[in-house]
Amino acid sequence: MRPKNLEKEEAIRTIALQIIAEEGLENLSMQKLAKAANISPRTIYIKYENKEDFLVKLFIDEVLGAYEKAILEKFKPEMEFAEGVKKLCTNAFRFFKNNPHAFALMKYGKSSPLLNKAFQEKDIKEGDFFAPIHRFLEMNAKAGVIRKLPQEAYRALLFSPILDLINEYFDYQQRHKQIITDKVFSDCCDAVIKGLLK
């Protein structure tokens, strides 16, 4: 791809994330995106089959990889359980606070078939992206530190509360007082940790 085309592609993706964050996924259309990017809708359809194809690629390229890199920063599967979970929670909170557009797409992807479609399209298997977290949980379950549960249950117990708290954080940015402070978030992580310990 030529440099000019790369710039155009980056602009399209950035504008799409902005529309999703500000107006919601349901209000993103290829026509609106093309108009905002000052291009013809045909330009978008050269690279993407339809809106779903665009969103799947946007999710994989712009959100999933960046989220994986951020959440695993300074995390090691050998960490003591509480320390490891705290690191994952803190990393996720920081990433989404600094990337509200990525959070918007993650949130919408979680409540739609987008995530499954993205995983199928790229043939992403359970653990392909977050293998160190899977090892961490398996090691702690095997050692008897935490209750033995399926990976999907661990994911729901660990990350659904994080996403809900971050959603509250963004909701409260529009109000006079932020209730989801770093301290509140940390206390919530402690509660999740206690709930998983044997």
Side-chain angles (χ1 to χ4, degrees):
M1 209 179 250
R2 290 171 298 172
K4 189 130 181 138
N5 287 343
L6 283 172
E7 286 174 29
K8 193 183 291 182
E9 177 70 18
E10 185 59 36
I12 290 168
R13 289 170 179 241
T14 301
I15 291 166
L17 287 169
Q18 188 174 343
I19 291 170
I20 292 166
E22 293 172 4
E23 301 177 37
L25 185 63
E26 65 280 0
N27 291 311
L28 176 70
S29 69
M30 296 298 98
Q31 289 73 25
K32 182 184 273 192
L33 179 57
K35 186 176 180 183
N38 201 23
I39 58 171
S40 160
R42 281 182 298 192
T43 304
I44 297 172
Y45 288 115
I46 289 170
K47 187 162 169 80
Y48 306 101
E49 291 174 36
N50 51 38
K51 178 180 172 180
E52 186 179 74
D53 181 49
F54 174 73
L55 289 172
V56 165
K57 288 177 176 148
L58 184 68
F59 177 74
I60 291 169
D61 297 341
E62 298 293 322
V63 177
L64 201 54
Y67 178 52
E68 178 195 35
K69 185 177 177 191
I71 203 168
L72 293 175
E73 188 181 339
K74 296 184 181 172
F75 169 81
K76 291 183 176 56
E78 304 77 31
M79 286 177 148
E80 184 267 331
F81 183 71
E83 180 191 6
V85 172
K86 258 310 185 25
K87 176 55 69 183
L88 293 170
C89 289
T90 305
N91 286 349
F93 193 43
R94 185 182 326 112
F95 173 75
F96 285 126
K97 274 169 66 174
N98 294 331
N99 298 279
H101 300 138
F103 176 70
L105 191 56
M106 179 72 85
K107 182 174 76 170
Y108 284 109
K110 190 172 181 279
S111 62
S112 79
L114 182 64
L115 289 177
N116 286 332
K117 178 84 173 164
F119 290 172
Q120 287 168 10
E121 182 163 304
K122 291 290 187 176
D123 197 28
I124 296 169
K125 306 282 189 301
E126 184 74 39
D128 280 359
F129 266 79
F130 300 101
I133 299 172
H134 286 234
R135 281 199 308 278
F136 168 71
L137 293 166
E138 284 166 10
M139 284 165 43
N140 278 283
K142 197 179 248 185
V145 175
I146 59 174
R147 303 163 199 268
K148 194 158 180 54
L149 298 167
Q151 285 290 343
E152 295 82 359
Y154 288 134
R155 185 174 58 233
L157 290 169
L158 287 172
F159 296 106
S160 291
I162 292 172
L163 294 176
D164 285 342
L165 286 165
I166 294 165
N167 194 52
E168 291 294 329
Y169 170 82
F170 285 122
D171 280 352
Y172 272 85
Q173 279 194 318
Q174 310 303 320
R175 304 183 194 187
H176 70 283
K177 184 181 177 190
Q178 178 59 260
I179 61 163
I180 308 298
T181 62
D182 288 346
K183 170 83 169 79
V184 167
F185 189 82
S186 180
D187 289 346
C188 291
C189 286
D190 288 340
V192 170
I193 290 164
K194 283 178 188 162
L196 278 167
L197 290 172
K198 257 188 160 180

